[in-house]
Every structure is written in structure tokens, then in C-alpha cells.
Amino acid sequence: MSTPDITRPDPAPTGRVLRHKLIDRIYHWLMALSVLILMATAFLPILGWKFEWLDLHWITGVVLTLAVLFHIIRAVCWQDIWAMFLGGQDLRDITGGGKPGKYTPAQKLYHLGVSLLILAAIGTGLLMLLKIDTPWWRRDPYWFSDTQWGVIYAIHGFGAMALITMVMIHIYFALRPDEWRLTRSMFRGWMTSKEYLDHHDPKRWKAKEDA
């Protein structure tokens, strides 16, 4: 049986194309849950909600660190890591209105911003683990001077505050009706062949059919 050619318009498209594999969807929701827990445990106590937040905060931070490390290794070794980097064609899309590949220039810029903020929060958060007792080591806050600790805390706090804005932006666009195909694909993994042809250039993103 021949494989349908989803790069050509279908007068009555019923097929589906794969946008996100299951493992990538699991990573996305694990990261989302981790970020929400980290923000809740960081800011709710400041707003007056009293609960034992410290252990939940640092354990979730370690989980997020491992998830991001997994994502980086997977992107470098098994995925097209360059698909998320802005290139000359993306700039031409912005000015000329062409169809993007798998990701739009706005999505790539958003991914870059979130990546930098999360890496900054993770890096400083791992350093801050030196100031608490864990099952694996005893606290030792004398690795850095007070001034150095102040810089670490400032970077961590800025990253956390900026991530609140980025999460709000992400939720806003995820709930927009004209972006629902992308939200659905993060739950189910697929988009219709019509959505694929309407919004993407098959020459720049050679999508596979969803099994």
C-alpha cells in the first residue's frame, strides 16, 4: 500500500501528522508542573501562605534540572537542535509573510528566552543548595562571600520573576482559539494534514503521518 503524500493538498483531508512524540509531551508537562510548583513554593510564602515549602522547592528544582538535562541530550543526539534556532529564512518570514517550518520565529524567540531564564534559575539554584542540609551533604554557606551570594540570589530572583511573565504569555497563547491546534498537539501529539498544509511549509518541515 502506498503512503499518502501529505505535502499535497487533499480536497477532504482526514489524515493526521505527528508534531510531538509521547516522550516530548511527557517532558513538556513534567517541566510545566515543575515550574509551577517552584513558583508556588517560592512566592506563596511571601504572600503569607505558611507551609513547609523548602524541601518541596529544592527537590522539584533537582527534578527540573534532570528533566532539562535529558531534554538537552535528546535535542543534541536524536532531534534537529537547529530547528529551534533563528536563521535567515526566519527573518525573511517576518518581513515577507512566508510559511514557517515546524516552529515560527516567535516560538523560537520565546524558546530562547525561556531557556535562558530556566538555565539561570537552575544554575543559581544548584549553588543555593550549598546553604541547606540534604540527605547527601551538610550545608556549607561559606563557599561564597556575602556579595557573591547577593549576586546569586539576585539572578535567581530575576529569573523567577521573569518566568512568571513568560508562563502567563504561554498560557494566553495556548488558550487562543487560533492556536488550539498547537495546544491539542501537546496533549495528543498530532495535528490534521489540513492544519499542517495551512500553517507550515512542507519543504521546511517534513512531517510524518501520525500512526
Side-chain angles (χ1 to χ4, degrees):
M1 181 181 296
S2 61
T3 301
D5 184 2
I6 61 175
T7 64
R8 293 182 300 179
D10 184 343
T14 57
R16 298 172 179 175
V17 300
L18 180 66
R19 182 173 175 87
H20 300 295
K21 293 184 178 180
L22 177 60
I23 190 170
D24 298 313
R25 303 199 310 270
I26 291 173
Y27 162 75
H28 176 272
W29 292 112
L30 176 62
M31 186 187 73
L33 179 62
S34 297
V35 169
L36 291 176
I37 291 174
L38 286 167
M39 290 195 300
T41 51
F43 294 109
L44 289 181
I46 297 176
L47 297 175
W49 292 52
K50 303 302 181 182
F51 59 96
E52 296 296 327
W53 62 270
L54 181 58
D55 285 345
L56 180 58
H57 188 81
W58 76 260
I59 291 172
T60 304
V62 171
V63 171
L64 178 62
T65 301
L66 294 175
V68 169
L69 181 61
F70 164 80
H71 178 64
I72 292 173
I73 294 173
R74 175 166 165 74
V76 171
C77 297
W78 289 282
Q79 295 179 310
D80 180 13
I81 190 173
W82 299 109
M84 286 305 301
F85 283 85
L86 281 170
Q89 184 61 52
D90 294 302
L91 299 179
R92 288 189 287 273
D93 290 343
I94 295 173
T95 57
K99 291 183 181 179
K102 186 173 183 178
Y103 302 105
T104 66
Q107 288 171 326
K108 294 180 180 183
L109 284 171
Y110 181 88
H111 180 269
L112 176 62
V114 169
S115 298
L116 293 175
L117 291 172
I118 286 183
L119 289 175
I122 285 176
T124 52
L126 291 176
L127 294 176
M128 291 161 65
L129 286 177
L130 295 170
K131 301 191 74 173
I132 64 174
D133 292 328
T134 75
W136 302 285
W137 64 80
R138 306 299 296 176
R139 64 190 300 271
D140 184 0
Y142 303 108
W143 279 70
F144 301 102
S145 67
D146 290 344
T147 300
Q148 291 170 327
W149 277 121
V151 172
I152 291 170
Y153 273 87
I155 294 173
H156 195 76
F158 172 80
M161 292 292 293
L163 276 172
I164 292 179
T165 302
M166 299 299 275
V167 168
M168 292 172 63
I169 292 172
H170 188 60
I171 293 174
Y172 168 75
F173 280 101
L175 295 178
R176 285 169 57 100
D178 57 331
E179 301 290 346
W180 175 241
R181 68 187 186 281
L182 301 177
T183 305
R184 185 218 305 127
S185 72
M186 193 51 72
F187 283 99
R188 298 187 175 182
W190 54 266
M191 62 196 313
T192 68
S193 57
K194 184 178 186 305
E195 291 167 340
Y196 169 62
L197 293 168
D198 285 348
H199 298 280
H200 303 276
D201 183 349
K203 295 180 180 178
R204 297 171 61 191
W205 174 30
K206 300 184 184 302
K208 298 180 180 179
E209 287 190 89
D210 183 52

